[in-house]
Amino acid sequence: MNLNHYLEVSEEVKEALKNGKPVVALESTIISHGMPYPQNVETAKNVEKLIRNTGVVPATIAIIQGRMKAGCSEEEIEYLGKRGQNVQKASRRDLSVILSRGEDGATTVTTTMLIAHLAGIQVFATGGIGGVHRGAETTMDISADLEELSDTPVIVVCAGAKSILDLGLTLEYLETKGVPVLGYQTEELPAFYTRKSGFKVDYRMDTPGEIADAFLAQRAVGLKSGMLITNPIPEEYSMDKETIDHAISQALEAAKKQNIHGKETTPFLLDHVKRITGGSSLQSNIQLVYNNARLACEVAKEISNRG
Ligand code: PSU
Ligand code: MN
């Protein structure tokens, strides 16, 4: 058995990569676990459309019946969205068993980066990344996303991380691991629903071209790490900090009471925050994903122009 047995790059993505055309990867945990049906499918399809409209090829990444897909069909997106939480969350440590058993998996930032890299895709757009959890000094709960950012040369465009996490420790960890944290037109790390967090990014980037140049320099000198681009949610969709902080502290309390840990922690916290904040947080989430996809397209185009 070789890589091709497990990896399936769609014809459209293959063709684009062969011709040096820009491609942007998208994750599937956000579809199966991040949003309710049918908004999840609607959003996933809209992001793909938005990407195509800018002349870039989208590649939604997931594991379906034991095969890593770089470029899902509309039917596959529909399937992942309808099955929702029944599709298991697939991080790096889950990959081997899911593949060997021929199961489905919703790819996290970690596995989406990994599969994008195997396929030859360099840019990936998502909502938020995992990080160092609050209390990690005793639980040691640190998302595999941070290790992947250190090991896999893919640009991840996100809206920062939610403050369900310890954002300060997350930045420290990324510094140790040599991952550049860049702010798009900002000096401050955005916190997903809000444009500010009180923490500074490593460097401010004002244009997609600057981001492309930094990534190409990183590759040219043989650094194998990824790069994190943090793109603040558009002002008009950003949420009230107090509302979010309140929802997050309630979620953290509930997780503690119910003794939640391991891979359940992040989905539990996110779910709780969503339930408390309701429809407005869903709207914000959808809009920031579109915003990140737009920036990822610009970066992918700049990289392909320099190719
Ligand atoms: N944070 C968010 N939204 C998400 C996730 C994290 O704000 O959807 C998802 C992503 O797929 C991310 C994963 O890669 O959760 C991280 O999970 P964990 O903390 O278990 O590594
Ligand atoms: Mn964890």
Side-chain angles (χ1 to χ4, degrees):
M1 232 78 93
N2 59 11
L3 177 60
N4 288 332
H5 179 80
Y6 296 110
L7 177 67
E8 190 177 322
V9 184
S10 76
E11 283 309 314
E12 189 191 13
V13 171
K14 227 186 260 173
E15 189 64 20
L17 292 171
K18 200 176 79 193
N19 297 312
K21 288 224 201 103
V23 178
V24 167
L26 301 160
E27 66 157 297
S28 45
T29 293
I30 199 171
I31 304 175
S32 296
H33 296 251
M35 291 179 194
Y37 181 81
Q39 286 94 337
N40 55 1
V41 172
E42 204 179 282
T43 306
K45 287 186 181 171
N46 282 342
V47 189
E48 288 216 340
K49 199 190 292 167
L50 176 161
I51 291 175
R52 281 205 178 85
N53 285 343
T54 70
V56 176
V57 172
T60 297
I61 291 181
I63 303 165
I64 295 179
Q65 294 183 0
R67 302 203 79 202
M68 304 183 286
K69 303 267 181 175
C72 285
S73 65
E74 289 218 346
E75 293 71 40
E76 288 166 337
I77 290 175
E78 191 90 40
Y79 171 79
L80 292 164
K82 271 200 178 131
R83 294 206 61 217
Q85 312 272 351
N86 293 319
V87 183
Q88 61 195 310
K89 180 177 148 196
S91 192
R92 185 182 259 262
R93 65 99 193 259
D94 306 297
L95 199 57
S96 20
V97 174
I98 292 178
L99 294 183
S100 66
R101 288 184 174 166
E103 292 176 353
D104 298 329
T107 54
T108 62
V109 168
T110 299
T111 37
T112 304
M113 287 181 77
L114 193 156
I115 296 168
H117 180 57
L118 288 174
I121 303 168
Q122 307 191 86
V123 186
F124 159 29
T126 187
I129 61 156
V132 180
H133 280 270
R134 298 196 195 185
E137 59 274 25
T138 52
T139 64
M140 286 182 72
D141 190 350
I142 299 171
S143 174
D145 291 356
L146 303 184
E147 291 293 322
E148 205 65 41
L149 279 161
S150 158
D151 291 341
T152 304
V154 169
I155 298 179
V156 179
V157 182
C158 69
K162 294 196 180 91
S163 44
I164 55 167
L165 302 169
D166 187 319
L167 298 183
L169 289 187
T170 300
L171 288 173
E172 292 291 350
Y173 199 90
L174 288 168
E175 181 191 2
T176 301
K177 290 286 176 175
V179 179
V181 179
L182 310 180
Y184 185 62
Q185 299 182 343
T186 182
E187 284 88 32
E188 191 161 336
L189 179 76
F192 198 88
Y193 294 121
T194 56
R195 293 171 62 84
K196 300 207 156 172
S197 66
F199 293 96
K200 293 265 174 281
V201 293
D202 302 335
Y203 298 95
R204 172 188 173 122
M205 292 282 157
D206 282 304
T207 63
E210 265 184 279
I211 297 170
D213 287 337
F215 184 68
L216 291 173
Q218 182 170 288
R219 297 302 320 263
V221 299
L223 294 174
K224 63 177 173 47
S225 34
M227 188 172 261
L228 190 65
I229 313 301
T230 62
N231 187 26
I233 183 172
E235 196 89 60
E236 62 268 41
Y237 300 108
S238 76
M239 293 185 67
D240 172 53
K241 188 177 178 308
E242 242 133 70
T243 311
I244 289 298
D245 285 350
H246 177 70
I248 286 171
S249 59
Q250 279 191 304
L252 289 164
E253 221 168 277
K256 203 173 215 171
K257 248 190 218 139
Q258 295 178 46
N259 197 22
I260 306 290
H261 42 230
K263 74 188 285 187
E264 303 311 326
T265 303
T266 299
F268 179 92
L269 292 173
L270 295 179
D271 223 61
H272 228 81
V273 171
K274 271 185 289 186
R275 263 188 284 136
I276 298 167
T277 53
S280 69
S281 76
L282 179 60
Q283 265 322 305
S284 297
N285 198 345
I286 293 170
Q287 293 299 329
L288 67 82
V289 170
Y290 294 159
N291 192 47
N292 295 342
R294 276 188 287 268
L295 176 57
C297 285
E298 294 310 312
V299 173
K301 280 188 194 171
E302 294 288 346
I303 291 177
S304 123
N305 286 342
R306 285 156 171 76

